[in-house]
Amino acid sequence: MRLRRSRNMTCYWHEGLFVLHPYPHGTPTAMHPAVAEILAAFEDWTGRAEAAKALDHIDPETLEEAVLALLGAGALLAEDSPEARRDAETAETWGQWAPEAPFFHYVTQDVLLGRHEETGGTPQADRADRADRADRADQVDRADSAAMPPLFTRYEDGPRIPLPRRPADLRIPYEQVLYGRRTHRDFAPGPVARSVLATLLATTFGPVDFIDCGVGGLFRRTSPAGGSRQEIDAYVGVLGVEDVAPGWYHYNALEHSLELRTEGLARERAAHLAADQEWAGRAAFLVVLAARLERMSVKYPTPRGYRVCTLNCGHLGQTFALTATALGLGPAQTGAFHDTLVAEACALDNSGHTPLYLLAAGHPVTGGEGRDTPPPATLDTFRITRLQD
Ligand SMILES: Cc1cc2nc3c(=O)[nH]c(=O)nc-3n(C[C@H](O)[C@H](O)[C@H](O)COP(=O)(O)O)c2cc1C
């Protein structure tokens, strides 16, 4: 029986141990780092005797033991086995996204979220959870409560702009908003009113109400959020907003204010931050969604929690787009941006507090399609389009 090294495997040191982590079939296994040399001898389908020849400086018994352990861990695969077929298929399917994307995807698959996950975050379930917790020593709850990060981010010392509280009109029929939403890449010049920006920020990121999670309060927004952790903060890059100087601000959702992070923002710079996409420089403002990771990880200690952060961004992005549309603005969004530069612009450490998504909006151009609007599909388009399998 010939053997081959798994094509889908990441190796790393964790807590002082060398770990082989094959996916999706294998299990993470701590082994001596010298096994890397043995795995290299099985680069392609290789018989054990042939490998032993190439590894003749290793005692044959030790080698056999290591090979069995590597087979058991799924790091070596047997020719024509279902595991080997799946391994080849996975490597081919994920292609250039490997190893980063499939590794994260599979190692967080079937991994439950961790502490409190059984509550599902619902008030009813949380209440049951609370009842259980009441039976525990009081000091445990107090310790839990003290360990909870603050619900809202606030920058004490910087200059701030309190935003108007009177909301701009949002009473436009839902159907018009839903079907009227489009991604805009061209924007009319002229600043957006401060009250319109204020309404968009409050509606998308502001608290709607507060709930009791058993170890303190949480707040809810107009978008659903995993465990109601609200780990996503909003940072606004102002290019053209009435009475707000260009620069980067944090939206303080509790206070409903803009807190200055860094001064100045040129349109060319905005485009550069968005991976050199010119439309971002034409917008009236950008909004960076940045995760404050500890708000999520304190409740969900497994890496799957990171998936939930990105899902939450998607929800907020959609609410942003629909609300911007209802306010007469053109929304846009991108996952392509210079993370490090964006973090710097927002004065974020980019470790515990890191950008995940970039949104934008401005006045849409009227009476024309605007630059960079994709043309409608024609008969010729459909001639070269495979509509179904
Ligand atoms: C997560 C995400 C990332 C996107 N990234 C980009 C981008 O980098 N550049 C861009 O021009 N449009 C981007 N878009 C916009 C899509 O191209 C657009 O949503 C799609 O063409 C459908 O058009 P519609 O939004 O008008 O329905 C992105 C959209 C989403 C949801």
Side-chain angles (χ1 to χ4, degrees):
M1 177 181 60
R2 297 195 304 171
L3 307 176
R4 170 172 73 55
R5 170 181 66 70
S6 167
R7 293 283 176 262
N8 307 287
M9 178 165 54
T10 298
C11 304
Y12 49 87
W13 269 269
H14 183 66
E15 294 175 352
L17 297 171
F18 182 68
V19 180
L20 306 176
H21 202 147
Y23 53 85
H25 51 273
T27 43
T29 307
M31 295 185 86
H32 193 284
V35 295
E37 194 195 0
I38 300 175
L39 285 169
F42 289 97
E43 174 59 28
D44 218 329
W45 296 118
T46 307
R48 277 151 134 120
E50 195 186 329
K53 242 187 258 167
L55 299 166
D56 59 1
H57 54 289
I58 302 178
D59 167 61
E61 226 171 89
T62 312
L63 179 62
E64 186 56 20
E65 240 174 69
V67 165
L68 288 178
L70 289 167
L71 265 168
L76 282 180
L77 303 167
E79 196 171 14
D80 293 328
S81 64
E83 288 80 11
R85 270 194 292 279
R86 174 112 200 256
D87 184 70
E89 205 178 281
T90 305
E92 196 190 324
T93 313
W94 285 85
Q96 296 197 17
W97 285 6
E100 296 88 344
F103 179 66
F104 176 70
H105 179 73
Y106 287 116
V107 302
T108 56
Q109 217 174 51
D110 305 320
V111 172
L112 301 180
L113 281 168
R115 204 156 79 87
H116 301 195
E117 71 197 319
E118 71 283 3
T119 69
T122 64
Q124 292 87 340
D126 272 346
R127 227 170 280 138
D129 186 46
R130 261 203 323 275
D132 284 351
R133 292 165 146 264
D135 294 339
R136 292 200 228 145
D138 196 33
Q139 69 199 53
V140 174
D141 266 4
R142 261 187 275 123
D144 273 7
S145 168
M148 289 296 155
L151 297 191
F152 294 91
T153 299
R154 173 186 166 83
Y155 297 100
E156 297 279 349
D157 37 7
R160 60 218 312 110
I161 303 173
L163 291 171
R165 296 262 174 195
R166 185 170 177 180
D169 193 355
L170 278 169
R171 288 169 305 168
I172 162 170
Y174 178 64
E175 187 208 351
Q176 271 182 44
V177 174
L178 200 56
Y179 289 96
R181 182 213 60 81
R182 285 273 76 90
T183 297
H184 289 251
R185 299 181 185 83
D186 199 5
F187 302 96
V192 165
R194 193 150 93 172
S195 59
V196 170
L197 173 65
T199 303
L200 178 57
L201 293 175
T203 307
T204 311
F205 304 107
V208 169
D209 62 9
F210 290 81
I211 55 172
D212 179 346
C213 76
V215 287
L218 290 172
F219 72 96
R220 295 188 293 192
R221 287 170 160 155
T222 48
S223 301
S228 208
R229 305 307 306 168
Q230 310 300 3
E231 77 290 353
I232 306 298
D233 289 335
Y235 290 79
V236 187
V238 171
L239 288 155
V241 177
E242 247 167 41
D243 303 321
V244 183
W248 283 94
Y249 299 81
H250 166 247
Y251 175 59
N252 182 322
L254 187 61
E255 194 178 76
H256 190 48
S257 68
L258 292 175
E259 298 170 317
L260 183 65
R261 302 299 288 148
T262 59
E263 277 180 283
L265 177 59
R267 293 195 176 274
E268 305 70 48
R269 182 70 183 164
H272 180 54
L273 293 178
D276 297 307
Q277 300 186 80
E278 283 181 14
W279 57 260
R282 297 194 286 260
F285 55 89
L286 309 176
V287 177
V288 170
L289 303 194
R292 190 153 171 175
L293 297 173
E294 62 165 348
R295 284 199 201 121
M296 183 60 86
S297 61
V298 76
K299 180 172 179 189
Y300 300 125
T302 68
R304 195 181 175 95
Y306 181 75
R307 283 199 195 190
V308 179
C309 295
T310 58
L311 294 171
N312 289 340
C313 277
H315 281 285
L316 289 166
Q318 180 70 357
T319 303
F320 174 92
L322 292 177
T323 308
T325 305
L327 289 166
L329 298 177
Q333 61 284 306
T334 178
F337 54 87
H338 290 296
D339 309 52
T340 313
L341 298 181
V342 165
E344 264 170 38
C346 302
L348 298 175
D349 63 13
N350 203 12
S351 52
H353 209 167
T354 191
L356 292 181
Y357 200 11
L358 183 63
L359 314 174
H363 289 300
V365 284
T366 48
E369 280 297 290
R371 276 172 283 189
D372 300 335
T373 302
T378 63
L379 194 55
D380 282 343
T381 320
F382 291 112
R383 282 202 178 101
I384 55 164
T385 304
R386 245 174 71 185
L387 282 179
Q388 288 173 34
D389 268 343

